[in-house]
Amino acid sequence: MANRDLTAHVKRIGSQDKIATGILTAIVGVVMVLVVAIIAYILIRGGMRALTPGFLTNTPTDDVLPGIVYQLWDSFYLLLVTLVISVPISLGAAIFLVEYAPDNWITSAASTAIETLHPRAYHPAGARGRAAQPARRSARHGPHALGDHA
């Protein structure tokens, strides 16, 4: 009796899996058609524009389309400002989490996420099975690599 229930359950899961796979395949197909249409539109409209003189350096006026140098400079400037703001904040957060933060669920989740994203950063290459985890520091942090600090 239990074997029949299990067989029916497996068949039901198999049919649900086929339906879900079909729906996801249809969604991916629609998205791919849209992406290809957008890329074709950009290449057709932008390809003709790239062949015109002054494509890079035209100044914007009413009768002439502007060149793309200004947009490239704005993109570079935005990237530079973003780096200047985000790198010190993220570096400070990383140093705090590694050196000063107490062991709690936040530091545990952060270290698990880092080990999940970059497993080779903490385990030697070619190690099989469970690799040795770095030792957790005590509340006093113990001796530091650059000398004792207590």
Side-chain angles (χ1 to χ4, degrees):
M1 186 73 156
N3 193 16
R4 285 187 214 166
D5 292 338
L6 182 62
T7 305
H9 182 68
V10 169
K11 285 183 181 179
R12 188 175 72 242
I13 289 176
S15 66
Q16 289 174 349
D17 184 46
K18 288 180 183 179
I19 292 170
T21 303
I23 291 171
L24 289 175
T25 303
I27 290 171
V28 167
V30 168
V31 169
M32 290 304 295
V33 166
L34 290 174
V35 167
V36 167
I38 291 171
I39 290 173
Y41 177 79
I42 290 170
L43 288 177
I44 291 169
R45 296 290 302 255
M48 296 301 163
R49 173 81 171 102
L51 299 176
T52 61
F55 168 67
L56 289 174
T57 58
N58 274 351
T59 56
T61 61
D62 290 339
D63 57 341
V64 178
L65 292 172
I68 64 168
V69 168
Y70 305 105
Q71 287 81 18
L72 291 175
W73 171 250
D74 288 345
S75 297
F76 174 73
Y77 184 69
L78 182 64
L79 177 69
L80 186 68
V81 169
T82 303
L83 284 173
V84 166
I85 292 171
S86 66
V87 167
I89 292 171
S90 59
L91 189 60
I95 291 171
F96 173 77
L97 282 174
V98 170
E99 294 294 332
Y100 302 108
D103 290 334
N104 57 25
W105 68 273
I106 296 173
T107 56
S108 175
S111 65
T112 302
I114 292 169
E115 290 175 8
T116 302
L117 293 174
H118 303 288
R120 293 181 192 255
Y122 295 98
H123 306 294
R128 298 283 183 237
R130 185 180 167 119
Q133 297 290 327
R136 298 297 293 174
R137 294 183 308 250
S138 66
R140 292 188 64 225
H141 297 301
H144 194 266
L146 299 176
D148 290 333
H149 65 83

